[in-house]
Amino acid sequence: MAIIITIVLQKGMQSGLQQMIASPIFCVFLIQNIKKHPQKLLDTLATVFIMNLSLNIVITRIAFVPNSHIIFLGHVQMVSQYGLAALVVSVLYYMTYKDKKIKMCGLVLLTVFTMLTTDADSAVFSALIIIIGFIVYKFKLYRVFFFKTEIYMFGMIAMNIAIVYLTAVNRTIIPGLDFSGRRFVWQDALLNIKAHPIFGYGIDGILLHTFWTEWSGGGFNYAHNQILQNLLDGGVMLTISFWIMIFAFIKPAKKIPEVKYRVFVNSSIIALLFVMIFDSTTLYSYMYVVLTIIHAVPFLRTEKSIKEKCGRIEFLQERKR
């Protein structure tokens, strides 16, 4: 849908090829390989995350200016997504295979440290949500995250809309809401969306302007909110398509009978949807890592159950012999 709208409105695809082509192809690659080689894929992803996070801690402090918006991993706005993907990989690997505990715990510590020490509010908030999820799991407060996954999805969408409304539209209810200047970004985004609500502008089809971009004479195509980003990129049509896609990814979660895996999936989707309130996740590929893993959890549990049953059968047959 994004490709069609962009080609029709812009008479081609001049930019945004990563989010229109590269990221979806990467997602297909993950879906195929997580079913063929789930343990190997998760372990490989964990290794990549460890290497990048370790380099980020060292190189950022040497080569980049403190409190800058740019770090070794890229722009600080993607750290929440990157960290969430790393945590989802490490936690699921250890839950499923009970292997490489030191490696996975090390990745968790690296990730939480990076998220809490990066100058990005969304990264800190996301880390706190993950910590809350761990507390819920540790103290077996399962009822908090044990409802149907769709309930959390629609609840987070409602929260997203409410926060944007209270911050950028009706400021009389809670006057102090700003979220690190996002109010100005959201207000300009809403003005542009109002002008082209059905099909938007296509990927990278418009630049947003705030008072600080006037000083530099430029603009940016980053709405700092996924719903607003969808509306800018493709209007109501792309927004509906995007959330149908999200629903398709999380729908298999209802097949998960185990409490701990249901808690894992629900806390992961809540964290991802929370990130979407303050960041535009479609500009990076990390959203697809999280969604693919969430989608694959029922398959991984089925595969493990089959292996466990086969192992018990072989054990009983060996005892009979």
Side-chain angles (χ1 to χ4, degrees):
M1 181 65 71
I3 291 171
I4 293 171
I5 291 174
T6 301
I7 291 175
V8 170
L9 295 181
Q10 300 180 19
K11 311 304 180 185
M13 294 190 294
Q14 287 76 29
S15 64
L17 297 180
Q18 176 177 314
Q19 57 180 303
M20 285 189 284
I21 298 176
S23 293
I25 290 176
F26 177 56
C27 179
V28 173
F29 168 82
L30 290 175
I31 290 173
Q32 290 179 338
N33 284 274
I34 204 167
K35 292 182 178 181
K36 295 178 181 178
H37 314 287
Q39 186 172 3
K40 185 176 181 180
L41 179 63
L42 292 173
D43 187 32
T44 302
L45 286 172
T47 301
V48 173
F49 285 132
I50 289 173
M51 292 174 63
N52 283 340
L53 289 168
S54 299
L55 289 170
N56 180 72
I57 291 174
V58 177
I59 296 178
T60 297
R61 282 155 178 76
I62 296 174
F64 293 88
V65 179
N67 301 321
S68 169
H69 283 300
I70 304 298
I71 59 176
F72 172 74
L73 289 175
H75 199 286
V76 294
Q77 65 202 7
M78 48 72 66
V79 171
S80 56
Q81 303 167 51
Y82 193 92
L84 177 58
L87 289 173
V88 166
V89 167
S90 57
V91 172
L92 181 61
Y93 183 94
Y94 185 72
M95 285 175 61
T96 305
Y97 302 107
K98 303 296 181 185
D99 187 22
K100 301 186 179 182
K101 183 177 181 180
I102 295 177
K103 178 179 180 178
M104 298 306 158
C105 288
L107 175 54
V108 170
L109 292 175
L110 276 172
T111 302
V112 173
F113 175 79
T114 302
M115 295 174 78
L116 292 178
T117 56
T118 300
D119 186 22
D121 292 341
S122 59
V124 175
F125 290 147
S126 301
L128 292 176
I129 289 177
I130 295 296
I131 292 171
I132 291 170
F134 173 76
I135 293 172
V136 168
Y137 173 75
K138 191 69 176 177
F139 293 95
K140 299 183 178 180
L141 306 172
Y142 296 136
R143 291 187 179 275
V144 177
F145 291 130
F146 200 63
F147 297 105
K148 289 184 177 180
T149 309
E150 293 90 335
I151 293 176
Y152 299 104
M153 172 183 159
F154 291 115
M156 293 303 294
I157 291 174
M159 180 186 292
N160 190 320
I161 295 171
I163 288 177
V164 172
Y165 176 77
L166 294 172
T167 304
V169 180
N170 188 346
R171 294 185 50 76
T172 59
I173 300 175
I174 309 178
L177 287 181
D178 183 77
F179 298 112
S180 300
R182 281 173 171 78
R183 168 168 68 95
F184 304 103
V185 179
W186 293 348
Q187 286 174 338
D188 191 62
L190 287 168
L191 288 174
N192 287 285
I193 290 165
K194 186 177 180 180
H196 295 273
I198 306 302
F199 296 105
Y201 300 87
I203 302 297
D204 287 347
I206 192 170
L207 295 178
L208 300 178
H209 298 88
T210 60
F211 65 88
W212 61 83
T213 61
E214 294 177 1
W215 302 336
S216 61
F220 52 86
N221 184 270
Y222 191 85
H224 291 80
N225 177 278
Q226 187 54 50
I227 293 179
L228 295 182
Q229 191 71 53
N230 290 147
L231 290 167
L232 285 172
D233 291 342
V236 173
M237 297 301 295
L238 185 63
T239 304
I240 292 173
S241 300
F242 177 84
W243 289 104
I244 289 174
M245 180 191 74
I246 298 294
F247 180 79
F249 268 109
I250 68 174
K251 189 176 180 181
K254 65 177 64 175
K255 301 177 183 177
I256 304 173
E258 296 93 338
V259 173
K260 65 178 183 179
Y261 283 94
R262 183 73 69 85
V263 170
F264 167 79
V265 167
N266 286 341
S267 58
S268 298
I269 195 65
I270 289 171
L272 179 61
L273 296 177
F274 183 83
V275 170
M276 289 183 185
I277 297 175
F278 303 103
D279 290 326
S280 301
T281 57
T282 46
L283 274 73
Y284 302 98
S285 60
Y286 311 115
M287 173 188 75
Y288 291 107
V289 176
V290 177
L291 290 174
T292 300
I293 291 173
I294 289 173
H295 183 76
V297 168
F299 170 80
L300 296 181
R301 292 305 305 136
T302 302
E303 181 193 47
K304 186 178 180 183
S305 299
I306 292 172
K307 288 182 178 179
E308 289 172 349
K309 289 178 181 178
C310 291
R312 285 195 294 268
I313 292 172
E314 290 176 1
F315 174 74
L316 292 173
Q317 290 175 342
E318 189 65 29
R319 286 191 62 181
K320 288 180 180 179
R321 289 182 191 143

